[in-house]
Amino acid sequence: MACFGSGEMYLEKLILNPKHIEFQILADKAGNVIQLGDRDCSIQRRNQKMLEEAPSKALTPELREKMGAAAVAAAKAAHYENAGTIEFVLDQEGNFYFIEMNTRIQVEHPVTEFVTGLDLVREQIRIAAGLPLSHTQEDIVLRGHAIECRINAEDPARNFQPCPGKINFLHLPGGCGVRVDTGLYTGCTLPPYYDSLMAKLIVWAPTRLEAIRRMRRVLEEMIIDGPANNADLLHQILYHPEFVRGTFTTAFLDENMDTLLKWSQTGDEEGKA
């Protein structure tokens, strides 16, 4: 009453340990809206995404179609124009609930580009120029599996303390099905004033297991001599049985951080998948 002059309260349904699933959409000025499949963004720390993959292992074809239709309907109801993302939480019974819409290109958009073959930034420019979408919903076919790891300048062993500083030496991974988005170079300095994101590592492979193996290799190949970062933690996550099975939720890091840090510090392979 003191703050708002009203005693009314807004209640939200509590969803314990959900999956965080989002759908990429494109909408043009003519009212055409399509969805480009889903991304599983459930590996998070402090509600910030660390690892994303497409498509989600948790969705059946029927549930994927239902959630995609809901995403398109939401964009149409808002008369939306642009690239955008409709985000949901998915409970353990297969019920999904709207969280928010991000009205922009997101950090994790490369995994969708890998599995659809579309250039989302190009499509966004076409929409801004008033051109119609270059694809219909029937054209969109998801092929293979993609994973993205966000390399952040933060120290997992110190409660993800930010770690700006100079990059003394940098070696970036490469090879078939590998993409690296970064502005880093040897000798550059990461300032403390901006986001801690250092680089995005994205891989594609015909199957999810092959994509996991490829990302493990990519993380092993990358060398960043300088600020502490979360690359080793991400490497441990990719070996965790819960991640390999695809049964992880947004509570994954909270529940497994001690084990992951132990693996990282001791090199203990016991229990890894």
Side-chain angles (χ1 to χ4, degrees), residues 147-169:
I147 300 174
E148 174 179 294
C149 285
R150 302 190 189 192
I151 308 302
N152 295 324
E154 53 192 18
D155 189 347
R158 297 184 177 181
N159 197 28
F160 295 97
Q161 174 181 305
C163 296
K166 183 178 179 180
I167 305 297
N168 300 312
F169 177 79

Side-chain angles (χ1 to χ4, degrees), residues 33 48 167 191 263:
V33 183
Q48 297 296 312
I167 305 297
W263 285 354

Side-chain angles (χ1 to χ4, degrees), residues 2 7 11 20 36-37 50 54 57 83 98 107 116 119 122 133 139 148-149 172 189 192 198 201 216 227 238 269:
L11 301 181
H20 183 135
L36 307 180
M50 283 180 57
K57 196 174 187 298
F98 174 77
V107 175
T116 62
D119 183 334
R122 177 181 183 272
L133 296 180
D139 297 329
E148 174 179 294
C149 285
L172 297 175
T189 299
M198 305 171 78
L201 306 182
R216 290 172 182 169
L238 289 163
E269 299 288 324

Side-chain angles (χ1 to χ4, degrees), residues 44-45 52 64 83 144 153 167 210 241:
Q44 305 178 2
R45 63 107 180 98
E52 302 94 0
R64 178 170 289 111
I167 305 297
E210 289 176 282

Side-chain angles (χ1 to χ4, degrees), residues 205-224:
T207 68
R208 184 174 184 269
L209 183 56
E210 289 176 282
I212 290 173
R213 289 171 172 164
R214 182 163 289 171
M215 182 60 82
R216 290 172 182 169
R217 189 269 299 170
V218 163
L219 287 164
E220 292 162 5
E221 184 179 329
M222 184 182 67
I223 301 173
I224 301 178

